[in-house]
Amino acid sequence: MRYNMLATTSATTIEPPIGQPESQFMISTKSTVTAVYAALLLLGAAACSRAATPDVPPSAKLLPESTVAFAWVDSPSQLVDLVLHHPLRERVESWPAYQQVMEADGLVKFKSGLSIFEAGMGMRWPKFLKQLTEGGLSVALDGESEGMVALVCARPENRAGENQNQAGEHELLGRLRATVFSLVRGGKPAGAETDPIATEDYSGQTVYSINGDTHWVTLDNWMVLTNKIDLARQVIDRFREEQAACLADEPSFLNAVRQRPADGQAWGYLNVQAVRESGQAQPLMSGRTENVVAEALLGGIVSNLQHTPYATFDLQVDSRGIEARLQTPHQNDWVGEDRAYYFGDGGHGTAPRLLQPERTLFALSTYRDLSQMWLRGGDLMIDKAVDELEQADTQLTTFFSGRDFGDDILSGLGPEIQFVAAQQDFADVLPRPAIKLPAFAFRTRMLTPRETQAEFRRVFQSLIGFINVVGAMQGQPQFDLDQQPLAGGQLIAATYVAAPAQRDSTSAAINYNFSPTVAFTDEHFVLSSTTDLARELATGASSSDIVKSTLQQLDNEEPANSMAHLNGSLLQAVLKDNHDQLIAQNMLENGHSREEAEGEIGLLMDLLGLIRDADLRLDADASRLRLTFRAAVTEMNAPQESAE
């Protein structure tokens, strides 16, 4: 027998919890049972646990070899401990929105049902959860049966007979089953004669079916929940017969397990080859993207998914934040010539350092040969996107005086791409726009500075002239062009000329967020939404700075294919700058009263106030492709960003 920790399972008599009249089990029984079952499944996607060695999870030996997706959590109860004792809990509980949620009718009913459940179990739910999941929790998806299964390993019994009920069943699991089944039976419609709980004996094990669609099996200290009866039978087979083929025998799964971090708190596996062969994710596995933006962001990953045998996921959570990694095997020849623009020759393309001007809200750096991507777009995107690309190429070629946009224009730019967005300071600015937007800029290297500078300067001036003509017909303010010398280059700025009635306005049109500017310095080209940001980036005051993100510190600032950084505090500040406009928009779109709109916007601000920063990083080498996400929460005593 595989994992015969104590005794075989047998049926027990279903009784209400001691001291609880049956009438109490009519209270919110349906929602309580649903919540309990959903919680058991969802815990497989959450994680916070003690460090684990990279061995095969025991539950993998109970699952069929046709398992497509698998997630394992060592100790889900530690996630609950983290939430219940987190330093930020007191702040969250002080929010008015939190108080409203806690007093909502649905949650009151749920808490009532939870109290009944705790009475049946004879303990509070945190203690119950710890005992229930002490041996880990797994959730899996089987490709053959198309069923989902949750396997929970409860606290093992220390010696024969201990923690067993009179029927020889694991005491905690037996009590749980009796409590849940009592709730199910108490919640059946009035007058219904059919028992919602059916039983089946399979290989000496009792399989309980709840309403015909949820199947429950207890195997020693394992609890198995699944939506497919055949999948329950397969788990029983592998529990009884150690030689039965199982997920733990699959070569790709074993390879994935060997690469699992020793300190991983939660880990997941996806058999990408099986998904690819099933045809269930054809749009994702086709190798084609839906538009130019998707191609630039995901093109290399899409090529990887056409060949990689599997993907893994691991997660770490602590009081400081969360870190998640998605990783696949990778080979440079999987990318091919069509997408060499994404990773560079030999897969060695690296992103430039992140920019950090004053009040940096968001920064992105990546390696992308835009010229090659544009020229090969017909082989990389779906037909609709190719048609749109050809139309855009024709229009841009005309705009650039007949010069081919991909061959002649983009080919003059290097693959080192930098983008940045920064909060603007409107304190001493008039006219001041009512809606205050961040400034943003694009920066790259010119391969042929003299030719590229002349071409881009002429096109920018033509574009501003065109906008002025169209704007005049629509009653919009006009741009005034200005050229300013820079050390080793030039800055060309377009500034709106305010009408006399608007010059001292503090609620001016959205146009006054912008002063489009191009800057040329040595070999770099900057295109910015504002003159101040363009000058700051062009003069080098910040262009060589690295965003000191926790992710880069974690990876020792090693080169990456792409990396991005978001400042959560400044994002909150930008939204506070537009607080009144957000409330008005909420009232208009959702039909809310001002009080309701203020509550929703206030909750959004509070939630953003919990995030200090977030980082995303894509790394590729000759053997693996890895995407890393990290988010850090604010410190308990950290001052909140002011909107002023």
Side-chain angles (χ1 to χ4, degrees), residues 23 70-71 214 223 228 253 262 280 324 404 410 431-432 579 603:
S23 60
F70 173 84
T214 301
M223 182 181 72
K228 298 289 185 179
F253 181 78
Q280 295 296 317
D404 186 84
L410 290 180
R432 186 180 306 152
H579 184 261
L603 177 60

Side-chain angles (χ1 to χ4, degrees), residues 202-481:
Y202 181 79
S203 296
Q205 304 292 338
T206 302
V207 181
Y208 300 90
S209 296
I210 306 174
N211 295 320
D213 55 12
T214 301
H215 310 284
W216 183 314
V217 184
T218 302
L219 305 170
D220 286 351
N221 61 322
W222 287 96
M223 182 181 72
V224 182
L225 288 173
T226 178
N227 61 344
K228 298 289 185 179
I229 186 68
D230 288 342
L231 189 52
R233 293 166 182 161
Q234 291 194 60
V235 173
I236 293 173
D237 289 340
R238 284 154 183 81
F239 178 80
R240 292 176 58 83
E241 299 182 25
E242 192 161 339
Q243 300 304 317
C246 62
L247 174 63
D249 300 326
E250 283 297 294
S252 64
F253 181 78
L254 290 175
N255 287 335
V257 169
R258 293 188 188 103
Q259 299 176 20
R260 180 167 62 90
D263 59 347
Q265 298 172 313
W267 183 79
Y269 161 83
L270 176 67
N271 188 330
V272 178
Q273 182 176 346
V275 174
R276 194 165 53 235
E277 293 174 351
S278 71
Q280 295 296 317
Q282 188 59 30
L284 184 62
M285 302 295 179
S286 67
R288 292 175 175 264
T289 52
E290 296 188 351
N291 52 60
V292 173
V293 175
E295 177 61 35
L297 294 176
L298 304 173
I301 298 175
V302 169
S303 287
N304 175 275
L305 291 176
Q306 288 185 284
H307 301 275
T308 192
Y310 61 85
T312 61
F313 172 82
D314 64 89
L315 183 69
Q316 295 185 18
V317 184
D318 59 27
S319 61
R320 297 167 298 177
I322 180 173
E323 182 177 335
R325 290 187 295 264
L326 180 65
Q327 185 168 300
T328 70
H330 182 69
Q331 295 179 19
N332 292 328
D333 57 5
W334 290 352
V335 179
E337 293 184 2
D338 286 344
R339 286 201 168 104
Y341 79 87
Y342 197 95
F343 295 110
D345 293 338
H348 300 304
T350 58
R353 291 179 171 182
L354 291 168
L355 302 175
Q356 192 184 25
E358 288 293 323
R359 295 173 174 261
T360 298
L361 169 64
F362 174 77
L364 168 70
S365 290
T366 187
Y367 179 98
R368 298 291 184 273
D369 188 335
L370 298 180
S371 175
Q372 287 301 309
M373 185 193 76
W374 191 272
L375 293 173
R376 297 178 182 272
D379 298 323
L380 305 176
M381 295 179 283
I382 61 176
D383 293 342
K384 180 182 177 182
V386 172
D387 293 340
E388 294 173 349
L389 182 68
E390 291 177 349
Q391 182 179 1
D393 185 75
T394 300
Q395 295 172 345
L396 289 167
T397 298
T398 300
F399 199 74
F400 281 90
S401 303
R403 300 188 66 191
D404 186 84
F405 185 67
D407 251 336
D408 301 324
I409 304 303
L410 290 180
S411 62
L413 301 178
E416 302 88 0
I417 307 298
Q418 295 167 296
F419 177 85
V420 68
Q423 182 189 26
Q424 296 196 65
D425 183 3
F426 292 99
D428 299 321
V429 176
L430 291 175
R432 186 180 306 152
I435 299 177
K436 302 172 181 63
L437 302 179
F440 52 88
F442 166 90
R443 182 178 184 265
T444 189
R445 182 169 57 92
M446 297 180 288
L447 300 178
T448 54
R450 180 176 298 180
E451 294 81 359
T452 302
Q453 181 173 341
E455 188 70 28
F456 280 20
R457 180 174 58 243
R458 180 189 61 78
V459 170
F460 179 75
Q461 292 171 335
S462 298
L463 178 61
I464 295 301
F466 176 76
I467 293 175
N468 274 342
V469 172
V470 175
M473 293 187 293
Q474 298 175 348
Q476 298 294 325
Q478 298 289 286
F479 278 122
D480 180 33
L481 273 174

Side-chain angles (χ1 to χ4, degrees), residues 2 66 149 164 222 252 315 507 574:
R2 190 187 297 265
S66 55
V149 59
Q164 289 185 354
W222 287 96
S252 64
L315 183 69
S507 58
V574 168

Side-chain angles (χ1 to χ4, degrees), residues 110-127:
F110 173 78
K111 289 191 291 184
S112 175
L114 181 60
S115 297
I116 296 173
F117 177 80
E118 290 179 331
M121 294 306 301
M123 66 182 76
R124 298 295 301 274
W125 68 266
K127 180 180 179 181

Side-chain angles (χ1 to χ4, degrees), residues 493-515:
T495 307
Y496 276 113
V497 179
Q502 290 280 318
R503 288 175 183 169
D504 297 325
S505 174
T506 57
S507 58
I510 195 172
N511 306 56
Y512 293 97
N513 282 280
F514 304 102
S515 53

Side-chain angles (χ1 to χ4, degrees), residues 150-173:
L151 298 99
V152 185
C153 188
R155 174 178 293 176
E157 298 148 333
N158 296 323
R159 56 183 180 272
E162 185 178 349
N163 294 331
Q164 289 185 354
N165 58 25
Q166 293 180 352
E169 185 179 26
H170 188 282
E171 196 275 334
L172 179 69
L173 297 183

